[in-house]
Amino acid sequence: MKQAKFLLSILTGTIVLGTIWCQAVLADQCAYISKQQALNAISRLDVEQFVYLLCEPCGEKVPQVAKIQNLAMEKVDYQDYWQVKINNQGIDLAYVFIDSGIEGNLVNLAAISDCQASRVSTMITPPTVE
């Protein structure tokens, strides 16, 4: 009986740690990216442009609107990875949407920058302002 409880506690701990690890992996899907992916993203962004920040895997439903005041890409201190910065903050391309130019819809920045992301929409409808 003690062995069964012990095995059950190990299994439970493994599931909990696995869930935490999976969430951590999803948290930074396209934050550290290749130089080409960063160039792809930067080419779609411009100062004074509005971006929509939405972390769908985190459970967010309504995007936060941000206006780009400054824009940069820089090499990070990990292997040969780069990051895109908006308003001096590193961003995760998977959780940034921009105007697609198609019927006012917003397109996921990771999708158009060739960064594979999971559990995020390729395109969303912008929130209505009342």
Side-chain angles (χ1 to χ4, degrees), residues 7 15-16 18 21 32 34 39 55 61-64 73 75 79 81 89 93 96 106-107 116 120-121 123:
L7 290 175
I15 291 170
V16 169
W21 182 79
Y32 285 9
S34 71
L39 287 168
C55 180
K61 303 290 184 209
V62 179
Q64 300 294 314
M73 65 179 260
K75 193 168 187 320
Q79 296 181 4
Y81 287 108
Q89 295 286 326
L93 305 184
V96 177
L106 304 173
V107 65
Q116 297 280 329
V120 296
S121 301
M123 197 166 287

Side-chain angles (χ1 to χ4, degrees), residues 56-98:
E56 292 173 298
C58 305
E60 293 178 0
K61 303 290 184 209
V62 179
Q64 300 294 314
V65 181
K67 186 175 186 179
I68 300 175
Q69 300 299 321
N70 55 53
L71 179 64
M73 65 179 260
E74 65 182 23
K75 193 168 187 320
V76 297
D77 291 332
Y78 181 70
Q79 296 181 4
D80 193 26
Y81 287 108
W82 291 72
Q83 73 175 347
V84 173
K85 294 178 98 174
I86 292 177
N87 302 336
N88 299 319
Q89 295 286 326
I91 61 166
D92 189 323
L93 305 184
Y95 311 130
V96 177
F97 292 82
I98 62 172

Side-chain angles (χ1 to χ4, degrees), residues 12-34:
T12 303
T14 302
I15 291 170
V16 169
L17 286 175
T19 302
I20 291 169
W21 182 79
C22 287
Q23 289 173 343
V25 168
L26 286 175
D28 292 322
Q29 297 186 64
C30 294
Y32 285 9
I33 52 181
S34 71

Side-chain angles (χ1 to χ4, degrees), residues 3 6 10 14-15 20 25 37 39 42 49 54 57 63 72 84-85 89 100 105 112 130:
Q3 187 177 12
F6 177 72
I10 289 176
T14 302
I15 291 170
I20 291 169
V25 168
Q37 290 167 324
L39 287 168
I42 286 284
Q49 176 181 355
L54 179 67
V84 173
K85 294 178 98 174
Q89 295 286 326
S100 69
N105 289 320
I112 61 174
E130 297 184 24

